């Protein structure tokens, strides 16, 4: 059975963020992830993890003005210094939280900028981050995100992401494979996971359409989980979905796997 981590940005929104650590533990989760830790004191977050016996599985690099609609800055030529500063901040938090991997959101491709320049900026930024994170004992992940939900998102397909990681040329950068985003952009979930298993350091899930919990849409998760187990994937799977109702009411899909 896969190891599931509760995404505290998406799940347990019935309570305030800090209370979600307890809620996740009470629901049986052993790991947690969330988009960003930076609005909270890192020692407070570390205390919550320890208090509830949770592993911090993942968080993202700083991604610009999220509330203002930015979805990452790694591909933006005029934000390189900000990106590099964000890597340092991510290392501080990940170290305090004993989080062994962080994810990079590429951002929305800037209009009116040469495509080759955008690509080079992204590759250079990822190479910089991978090196700095490696020194700190932290893996870097890159996540393709579908362009239906975020039009213009720069890294949006698995093969594109793999080609970019190959160009980066670091042994410390991996693929974050989000099943929901992949289903929307390309399908072929099982074959793609199998093909790139060695490059996948983290998986996330949600069903489609709706981005709700497994069993609410078109993806045959019961079969897919067995397939992923058969492949030997031993990483975490982050539950990054929008509960259709109360979070705990929608966790039956996990109990059914036991």
């Amino acid at each position: 059975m896969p190891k599931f981590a509760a995404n505290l940005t998406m799940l347990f929104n019935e309570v305030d963020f800090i209370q979600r650590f307890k809620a996740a533990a009470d629901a049986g989760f052993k790991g947690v992830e969330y988009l960003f830790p930076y609005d909270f004191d890192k020692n407070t977050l570390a205390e919550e993890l320890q208090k509830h016996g949770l592993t911090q599985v993942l968080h993202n690099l700083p991604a610009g003005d999220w509330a203002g609609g930015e979805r990452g800055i790694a591909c933006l030529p005029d934000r390189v210094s900000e990106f590099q500063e964000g890597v340092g901040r991510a290392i501080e938090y990940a170290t305090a939280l004993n989080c062994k991997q962080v994810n990079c959101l590429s951002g929305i491709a800037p209009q009116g900028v040469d495509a080759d320049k955008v690509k080079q900026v992204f590759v250079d930024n990822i190479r910089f981050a991978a090196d700095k994170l490696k020194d700190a004992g932290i893996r870097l992940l890159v996540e393709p995100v579908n362009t239906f939900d975020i039009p213009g998102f720069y890294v949006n397909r698995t093969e594109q992401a793999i080609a970019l990681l190959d160009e980066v040329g670091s042994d410390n950068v991996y693929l974050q494979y989000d099943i929901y985003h992949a289903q929307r952009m390309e399908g072929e979930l099982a074959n793609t996971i199998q093909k790139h298993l060695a490059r996948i350091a983290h998986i996330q899930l949600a069903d489609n359409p709706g981005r709700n919990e497994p069993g609410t849409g078109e993806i045959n998760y019961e079969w897919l989980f067995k397939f992923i187990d058969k492949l030997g994937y031993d990483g975490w799977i982050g539950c990054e979905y929008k509960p259709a109702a109360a979070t705990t009411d929608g966790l039956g899909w996990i109990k059914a796997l036991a």
Side-chain angles (χ1 to χ4, degrees):
M1 178 175 172
K3 299 183 298 183
F4 295 109
N7 187 296
L8 301 186
T9 303
M10 306 284 277
L11 304 187
F12 303 107
N13 277 235
E14 299 85 359
V15 297
D16 292 337
F17 182 78
I18 294 299
Q19 296 175 292
R20 295 174 198 172
F21 291 85
K22 180 180 186 303
D26 287 348
F29 288 100
K30 301 300 183 184
V32 295
E33 62 176 35
Y34 36 83
L35 288 180
F36 309 108
Y38 310 110
D39 287 340
F40 302 91
D41 179 79
K42 55 182 176 291
N43 294 320
T44 299
L45 298 176
E47 289 171 4
E48 289 298 312
L49 292 168
Q50 183 175 16
K51 184 191 307 182
H52 300 294
L54 295 167
T55 297
Q56 180 73 45
V57 173
L58 181 78
H59 63 75
N60 291 328
L61 293 174
D65 182 5
W66 194 263
E70 291 187 326
R71 292 297 181 262
I73 58 174
C75 71
L76 305 182
D78 59 344
R79 307 286 285 279
V80 172
S81 61
E82 181 183 347
F83 177 85
Q84 293 182 353
E85 291 171 3
V87 171
R89 194 174 184 203
I91 289 172
E92 290 179 8
Y93 270 82
T95 300
L97 303 177
N98 197 28
C99 182
K100 298 304 183 183
Q101 52 190 19
V102 298
N103 180 51
C104 178
L105 296 168
S106 66
I108 298 169
Q111 297 293 315
V113 180
D114 181 77
D116 289 339
K117 183 175 183 179
V118 173
K119 178 182 177 182
Q120 193 59 54
V121 166
F122 180 77
V123 168
D124 290 346
N125 275 336
I126 295 301
R127 189 176 291 135
F128 172 89
D131 289 347
K132 293 295 184 182
L133 288 162
K134 184 176 182 178
D135 290 342
I138 302 165
R139 293 191 294 190
L140 176 63
L141 281 56
V142 170
E143 177 186 13
V145 173
N146 83 79
T147 55
F148 299 99
D149 289 0
I150 306 180
F153 197 84
Y154 181 59
V155 179
N156 52 68
R157 291 180 177 271
T158 303
E159 294 297 337
Q160 176 206 13
I162 292 295
L164 288 166
L165 300 191
D166 287 344
E167 191 160 340
V168 170
S170 169
D171 63 356
N172 192 46
V173 61
Y174 296 84
L175 180 70
Q176 177 170 306
Y177 187 83
D178 187 303
I179 294 169
Y180 166 75
H181 292 307
Q183 175 70 0
R184 296 215 67 186
M185 291 301 292
E186 59 197 30
E188 280 294 296
L189 302 174
N191 287 339
T192 303
I193 293 171
Q194 183 172 27
K195 179 179 179 180
H196 297 297
L197 184 66
R199 310 288 293 274
I200 296 172
H202 189 62
I203 294 174
Q204 290 180 325
L205 62 78
D207 218 327
N208 183 61
R211 202 173 184 175
N212 302 131
E213 48 265 84
T216 58
E218 65 186 353
I219 301 173
N220 186 351
Y221 270 109
E222 181 180 358
W223 183 91
L224 190 60
F225 290 145
K226 292 177 182 177
F227 181 78
I228 291 171
D229 269 346
K230 185 178 179 181
L231 291 179
Y233 174 77
D234 59 359
W236 291 87
I237 299 180
C239 300
E240 193 186 43
Y241 63 81
K242 297 182 292 184
T247 301
T248 53
D249 291 345
L251 294 177
W253 64 271
I254 294 180
K255 297 174 184 177
L257 297 174

